[in-house]
């Protein structure tokens, strides 16, 4: 589950209250999840602490509420494609760009 993401405007923001962003990293290199409104899917590849992802496809729903949900979704998916490194500590994972800016913070949720 995503607990914060880079909004592309110079900062990491929390997920909008009442929404949930999920990410499932399958062993076959496929990343799937829900970006708040739409389901998304795309490839990812890791090598040590390096990661690359995308491009992503999505379902095509348009959600009106809560306010800003579609912007959140677009910003999150755009941020993922800029990821360069990741680090897992306990139940948390942090992704960063090549320049060191945070892309997203994740927390593992048990099914």
């Amino acid at each position: 589950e995503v607990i914060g993401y880079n909004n592309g405007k110079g900062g990491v923001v929390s997920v909008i209250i009442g929404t949930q962003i999920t990410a499932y990293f399958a062993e076959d290199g496929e990343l799937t999840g829900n970006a708040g409104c739409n389901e998304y899917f795309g490839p990812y590849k890791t090598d040590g602490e390096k990661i690359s992802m995308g491009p992503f496809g999505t379902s095509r729903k348009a959600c009106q509420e809560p306010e800003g949900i579609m912007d959140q979704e677009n910003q999150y998916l755009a941020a993922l494609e800029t990821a360069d490194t990741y680090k897992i500590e306990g139940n948390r994972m942090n992704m960063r760009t090549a320049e060191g800016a945070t892309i997203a913070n994740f927390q593992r949720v048990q099914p």
Side-chain angles (χ1 to χ4, degrees):
E1 183 174 355
V2 176
I3 54 178
Y5 66 94
N6 190 311
N7 64 3
K9 299 174 186 171
V12 175
V13 295
S14 298
V15 176
I16 296 172
I17 294 172
T19 67
Q20 182 180 35
I21 299 176
T22 61
Y24 176 72
F25 294 84
E27 290 183 19
D28 68 357
E30 184 76 9
L31 173 59
T32 59
N34 186 291
C37 176
N38 287 287
E39 301 296 318
Y40 68 95
F41 52 89
Y44 79 95
K45 190 167 28 172
T46 61
D47 183 10
E49 289 190 349
K50 292 286 201 178
I51 190 165
S52 60
M53 295 183 280
F56 293 102
T58 67
S59 54
R60 298 283 181 208
K61 292 188 289 185
C63 297
Q64 302 300 316
E65 295 184 8
E67 185 177 338
I69 190 170
M70 297 309 295
D71 288 337
Q72 171 181 267
E73 185 168 288
N74 291 332
Q75 292 164 0
Y76 167 71
L77 292 173
L80 285 184
E81 293 192 26
T82 67
D84 184 65
T85 63
Y86 74 101
K87 185 172 187 174
I88 297 173
E89 294 178 332
N91 285 335
R92 294 190 180 241
M93 178 172 64
N94 175 269
M95 282 186 196
R96 295 185 177 273
T97 65
E99 295 78 30
T102 296
I103 293 296
N105 293 309
F106 301 83
Q107 181 172 319
R108 184 185 311 250
V109 176
Q110 299 301 324

